[in-house]
Amino acid sequence: MEHETKYSEPRAHELRERYVATFGGAELPVPVEAIAEDLLGLHVSEADLDGVSGLLYPAQRRIVVNVADPAPRRRFTVAHELGHWICQCQDRSDVQVYCRAEDVTLDPSARAVEREANIFAAELLMPEQAVREKWAGDADACAASFGVSGEAMRWRLFSFGLAEPPQ
Ligand SMILES: [Zn+2]
């Protein structure tokens, strides 16, 4: 069975473009924490979450990421929680969102709401045109330009037909 590899999330691009129009600054790596805090009025903090990658408290407008994760992973987690916020929490639901490590991955087998958040995160952090412009055959170098993990970049490149899927 073939996986769906091509996806789009216009809300992620709208958000990034609105940030740049309002605050300016460098476009890459995408300033995901500033987008959360300055543009959306969310508070981002870090804590030892013991196996959980990220939490979203919609009513408190608060995101917590796992301090034990590497920086590129924490950036992806912030973007993933923004995906939950933008795509699923606009009713200011009181439900707390707990994202386990396996939820915050681009593996296509993730659950539907987690997949939606991951697609949002990938679209926010790795805009297609910018990735295609930076791509020079080295996934890790490309990942470093965008402040994402090599694995996340490999999934992204795979979705564009530019590389094999991660092992
Ligand atoms: Zn999640």
Side-chain angles (χ1 to χ4, degrees):
M1 192 182 127
E2 214 172 304
H3 283 299
E4 180 73 46
T5 55
K6 191 71 184 171
Y7 45 74
S8 68
E9 179 46 80
R11 289 171 290 190
H13 303 304
E14 187 274 334
L15 191 62
R16 193 181 54 249
E17 285 157 14
R18 192 150 52 91
Y19 179 85
V20 171
T22 309
F23 296 97
E27 296 192 27
L28 294 178
V30 173
V32 64
E33 195 166 326
I35 289 173
E37 295 199 316
D38 301 337
L39 190 63
L40 296 175
L42 297 161
H43 181 67
V44 179
S45 60
E46 296 178 346
D48 188 349
L49 296 179
D50 191 26
V52 171
S53 276
L55 300 173
L56 171 65
Y57 301 95
Q60 300 170 37
R61 305 180 76 94
R62 197 153 73 87
I63 291 171
V64 185
V65 297
N66 193 342
V67 70
D69 286 342
R73 179 77 180 202
R74 295 199 304 273
R75 281 171 49 77
F76 195 89
T77 300
V78 172
H80 172 103
E81 301 305 334
L82 286 184
H84 285 306
W85 171 256
I86 297 284
C87 302
Q88 298 150 16
C89 294
Q90 289 304 298
D91 58 353
R92 302 293 185 271
S93 142
D94 224 12
V95 176
Q96 295 176 7
V97 181
Y98 287 78
C99 302
R100 301 160 303 165
E102 59 267 33
D103 294 333
V104 188
T105 165
L106 284 172
D107 189 314
S109 67
R111 293 180 301 139
V113 289
E114 298 305 331
R115 198 164 57 237
E116 185 176 43
N118 285 333
I119 288 171
F120 184 96
E123 289 267 278
L124 182 67
L125 295 177
M126 297 172 278
E128 178 167 4
Q129 192 188 331
V131 169
R132 287 183 180 279
E133 284 167 9
K134 285 275 180 197
W135 174 238
D138 182 341
D140 291 318
C142 201
S145 304
F146 289 82
V148 300
S149 70
E151 189 196 9
M153 181 54 73
R154 283 181 179 82
W155 279 114
R156 192 66 169 151
L157 293 166
F158 173 58
S159 80
F160 300 148
L162 295 174
E164 293 298 310
Q167 297 301 307

